Amino acid sequence: MLKKSVYIFLIFFLKSIYAQYMLIPMDLNQTNHLKAYGVTYWILKQDVTAEWLLNYRGGSFLITYSELFENECRLRGVYIEKLSGAMVSQVYAEIENKNMERILLEKAPKIAVYSPPGFQPWDDAVTLALMYAEIEYDIVYDREVLSDRLDEYDWLHLHHEDFTGQYGKFWGAFRHETWYIKQQAETEKLAGELGFSKVSKEKGAVARVIQDYVSKGGFLFAMCSATDALDIALSAESTDICDAVFDYDPIDPSFESKIDFNKCFAFENFKLITNPAVYEFSDIDTPPSNMPRLRDPDTDYFTLFEFSAKYDPVPTMLTQNHVNIVKGFMGQTTMFREDLIKESVTIMGKIEGTNEVKYIHGNLGKGTFTFYGGHDPEDYTHRVGDPPTELELHKNSPGYRLILNNILFPAARKKKLKT
């Protein structure tokens, strides 16, 4: 018989070669990138920490091995690799010597989606992503925002809301449609119930509360027209930019002199488009929504910038992907003119050789905001009434990965910059 010491040696030897960790790779080997975020979120909900390995195999996740976690990954179709302690040490050594970093994910963020009552989930790419990835979220709207409910959440996404009170500038094409007439009536009723004389005042108050939420430490993510409409509403707080077809009184003739760009999150020096028949808010959006589309969908791509994982971990987290060139997509606000973006804002993705910026990030007080141009990363020209995007057909979508990077971002422990 073998001595007891030999048995102990064998036990430790076996433990060293068998799985102690579970890697969720996020490179081209991953079978379902989108659900990989969801299962990582689910693991955090079990009061277990994870590591986000920035720039390692597409931004992989490393978790202490558990048969329960492995089974959950298999159920969701997420590819994993089992690693021993010795193998993880090799991974750590590679990370230490390259443009990579280890970020500890500690707690699943509590998520809110700002969205009107009765919305359809497929009308919003972020809601689609959350549902497909099986990540929990609550819906909030103006009543909740103005009742200080945002303080209950770590992360807030803005549905494609028009905070200017111009109903999305759909008046020119859709003012006779039943859905438009109903939307305007319901919005005016809500504003009155909340104590406001008109919709633009009520939406402006909501925009200010959202800005205060961020300044106190909240994480804000917005797409499409919610990006520029939010800044426009904040800048126009002291004037009236709405035509009478929206609020029954004329535009302030001196509104241009009253626009305050200091109140904006991301943009400055923009020009407003107040004509109600023009489907565009301002010159921030590029290419303009009211102009003919000249770009070929087959050649429309934007490039993600590369950042130092060790010195700039935040933009590195937000740009994790298995590719660095991402298929473009349109929206009411498709991209942002680079010359109208504040210098303090970090550009994370744009069409090279142009002034067209797709993806930006910035700080406000103790919080952060990320703006992503376009409506749906897998529906190039999404229009009113189009069928929903089936994410099961796009489970490795680089464009949707950028959305989900933002959802896990608040879970990260902030590291001090190296000196």
Side-chain angles (χ1 to χ4, degrees):
M1 293 181 63
L2 294 174
K3 293 182 179 180
K4 183 178 179 180
S5 60
V6 177
Y7 279 118
I8 294 174
F9 170 78
L10 286 173
I11 289 170
F12 279 99
F13 175 74
L14 291 172
K15 282 186 176 180
S16 71
I17 63 172
Y18 288 112
Q20 294 174 265
Y21 297 90
M22 187 174 78
L23 182 76
I24 302 178
M26 296 295 278
D27 54 14
L28 293 173
N29 290 315
Q30 181 52 251
T31 51
N32 195 321
H33 286 96
L34 306 189
K35 284 193 180 287
Y37 288 96
V39 79
T40 302
Y41 184 91
W42 177 83
I43 289 169
L44 293 175
K45 292 282 287 184
Q46 314 309 308
D47 294 324
V48 174
T49 60
E51 281 192 305
W52 199 348
L53 308 183
L54 303 185
N55 290 347
Y56 178 78
R57 296 183 61 182
S60 302
F61 301 105
L62 183 68
I63 299 143
T64 301
Y65 176 79
S66 160
E67 187 176 350
L68 174 66
F69 298 161
E70 179 185 4
N71 290 339
E72 189 68 25
C73 287
R74 294 190 186 282
L75 283 172
R76 300 191 189 201
V78 175
Y79 171 70
I80 66 166
E81 295 176 7
K82 300 177 188 178
L83 303 183
S84 67
M87 296 166 73
V88 168
S89 295
Q90 292 176 349
V91 171
Y92 286 166
E94 181 178 353
I95 289 172
E96 184 64 27
N97 294 311
K98 294 184 178 180
N99 183 24
M100 301 176 181
E101 184 60 292
R102 297 159 51 193
I103 297 292
L104 182 65
L105 301 179
E106 296 187 286
K107 181 184 176 183
K110 190 172 182 183
I111 294 170
V113 172
Y114 174 87
S115 185
F119 86 107
Q120 299 298 323
W122 53 82
D123 285 339
D124 176 55
V126 175
T127 310
L128 269 180
L130 290 166
M131 292 176 63
Y132 182 74
E134 302 177 61
I135 294 174
E136 303 167 6
Y137 66 94
D138 293 336
I139 295 175
V140 297
Y141 201 50
D142 293 354
R143 290 186 188 277
E144 291 78 12
V145 171
L146 296 175
S147 300
D148 296 325
R149 290 281 306 281
L150 291 186
D151 292 341
E152 301 173 15
Y153 299 94
D154 304 301
W155 190 88
L156 173 67
H157 164 60
L158 303 182
H159 187 272
H160 307 276
E161 188 74 15
D162 175 7
F163 294 95
T164 72
Q166 298 175 89
Y167 306 106
K169 295 296 290 283
F170 289 124
W171 183 83
F174 297 104
R175 63 183 179 273
H176 300 303
E177 297 291 333
T178 301
W179 66 264
Y180 181 92
I181 296 169
K182 180 181 178 183
Q183 179 194 54
Q184 181 167 356
E186 290 177 346
T187 307
E188 290 173 353
K189 179 183 177 184
L190 176 61
E193 290 174 351
L194 292 173
F196 294 89
S197 60
K198 52 185 179 179
V199 172
S200 59
K201 297 294 185 184
E202 188 261 330
K203 291 298 181 185
V206 169
R208 289 192 299 275
V209 173
I210 290 171
Q211 188 176 55
D212 185 55
Y213 161 79
V214 176
S215 68
K216 291 187 296 185
F219 295 81
L220 176 67
F221 180 78
M223 287 186 70
C224 198
S225 59
T227 58
D228 53 350
L230 180 66
D231 264 6
I232 291 169
L234 291 168
S235 72
E237 180 180 13
S238 301
T239 186
D240 185 346
I241 62 171
C242 295
D243 190 273
V245 301
F246 303 123
D247 65 357
Y248 312 108
D249 59 24
I251 295 170
D252 181 350
S254 60
F255 77 88
E256 290 179 319
S257 65
K258 299 175 183 177
I259 297 297
D260 188 351
F261 300 118
N262 292 319
K263 296 180 179 180
C264 298
F265 280 89
F267 306 111
E268 62 184 1
N269 303 324
F270 49 82
K271 301 294 184 183
L272 299 186
I273 299 173
T274 56
N275 184 339
V278 176
Y279 180 60
E280 188 62 273
F281 291 104
S282 74
D283 60 350
I284 295 171
D285 180 30
T286 183
S289 296
N290 59 314
M291 300 295 286
R293 302 295 186 182
L294 302 177
R295 184 170 286 123
D296 179 359
D298 294 329
T299 59
D300 186 0
Y301 287 85
F302 65 95
T303 301
L304 296 175
F305 287 20
E306 182 177 356
F307 298 91
S308 168
K310 293 178 172 61
Y311 292 94
D312 294 307
V314 170
T316 304
M317 272 186 272
L318 298 178
T319 52
Q320 291 300 284
N321 227 308
H322 50 289
V323 297
N324 72 327
I325 298 178
V326 182
K327 184 173 67 174
F329 54 100
M330 291 167 26
Q332 185 173 13
T333 302
T334 298
M335 280 173 285
F336 320 118
R337 274 181 51 188
E338 187 168 3
D339 56 309
L340 301 181
I341 298 173
K342 293 184 176 184
E343 288 186 4
S344 59
V345 174
T346 300
I347 294 174
M348 301 187 295
K350 64 172 289 187
I351 297 179
E352 292 187 328
T354 74
N355 72 337
E356 299 174 71
V357 175
K358 191 72 168 179
Y359 191 39
I360 60 177
H361 176 76
N363 300 312
L364 180 70
K366 297 179 180 178
T368 73
F369 61 91
T370 305
F371 290 171
Y372 189 15
H375 188 98
D376 186 325
E378 295 298 338
D379 184 351
Y380 187 75
T381 56
H382 184 87
R383 301 180 187 279
V384 174
D386 277 2
T389 300
E390 296 290 342
L391 285 188
E392 187 60 32
L393 302 177
H394 306 285
K395 52 193 175 185
N396 304 106
S397 168
Y400 267 93
R401 276 200 65 180
L402 297 179
I403 294 172
L404 292 167
N405 284 337
N406 282 270
I407 289 168
L408 282 186
F409 168 50
R413 172 187 284 179
K414 305 303 177 291
K415 284 193 171 187
K416 292 183 179 180
L417 291 180
K418 298 185 177 181
T419 58

